[in-house]
Amino acid sequence: STAREFAQQGTHVALIDIDEPAAQKVADELNAQGARALVVKCDVTDDDSVSATLATVAAEFGGLDIVFNNAGIMDNFESIADVSNETWEKVFKINLDGPFKAVRGVIKESIRQQKGNIINICLLGIVSSLKYDHMESDSKKPCKKTIGFPSP
C-alpha cells in the first residue's frame, strides 16, 4: 500500500479512515517495523470531522507535508436505471465531496506552512470502460489532478 511505501521512505504516516480498526491494523504493522504511524478516524463527508482530523495530524507531526487523498467507494454495480438516490448520493458525497473537503482544508495548512503537496487518487474505473462503474467513474473524474505547492 501507499502508506507502507511512504513509511519505508521515512515519512511519518497518518492513516485516516472511517474504518478505524482496519487502519489500526496497518498502523500496528508499520509501527512494529520502526515507522511512526498514527490512526485518525474521519468521515470525509463531514466538514467538522475533516477539519478536526487535519488539525490532529498537523499537531502530531508538526505540519502536513504530503497528503495522499484516496477516499472512495464504488456503487453496487447496478445499471443506472436501478440505482437508488441514496446510493447515488452516498457515492458522490464520499468520492467527490470528500476529496474537495480534504483539499480545501489541506490548502489552508499548506498556505500557512508555505509548502505542501496534495496527491489525489482516482479509482481504476476512471481509466477503464467497465459496464457498471458509471457512478464511481463519474464521481471521481474531478479529482484526476495532482496539486503541488513548491517548497520555499
Side-chain angles (χ1 to χ4, degrees), residues 14-29:
L15 297 151
I16 300 166
D17 202 316
I18 198 157
D19 184 353
E20 194 172 15
Q24 189 62 57
K25 183 178 176 184
V26 175
D28 291 345
E29 173 192 323

Side-chain angles (χ1 to χ4, degrees), residues 95-143:
N95 292 1
L96 184 58
D97 296 350
F100 163 74
K101 290 174 184 195
V103 166
R104 181 176 57 192
V106 170
I107 285 175
K108 291 175 185 176
E109 180 66 15
S110 296
I111 290 169
R112 187 192 68 73
Q113 297 176 162
Q114 295 187 345
K115 67 176 184 172
N117 293 283
I118 302 168
I119 303 167
N120 288 317
I121 297 299
C122 299
L123 299 175
L124 184 58
I126 294 297
V127 294
S128 69
S129 178
L130 299 174
K131 182 176 179 182
Y132 296 113
D133 74 343
H134 51 84
M135 288 195 326
E136 183 272 333
S137 177
D138 292 344
S139 67
K140 294 295 270 188
K141 282 181 183 170
C143 71

Side-chain angles (χ1 to χ4, degrees), residues 66-118:
I66 302 169
V67 174
F68 186 83
N69 191 5
N70 70 331
I73 62 170
M74 295 184 65
D75 61 27
N76 298 323
F77 298 101
E78 299 168 308
S79 164
I80 196 152
D82 299 323
V83 174
S84 69
N85 286 342
E86 179 182 316
T87 298
W88 179 266
E89 290 165 4
K90 180 179 180 181
V91 169
F92 271 78
K93 277 185 173 182
I94 292 171
N95 292 1
L96 184 58
D97 296 350
F100 163 74
K101 290 174 184 195
V103 166
R104 181 176 57 192
V106 170
I107 285 175
K108 291 175 185 176
E109 180 66 15
S110 296
I111 290 169
R112 187 192 68 73
Q113 297 176 162
Q114 295 187 345
K115 67 176 184 172
N117 293 283
I118 302 168

Side-chain angles (χ1 to χ4, degrees), residues 6 13 50 55 114 118:
F6 277 121
V13 176
V50 171
Q114 295 187 345
I118 302 168

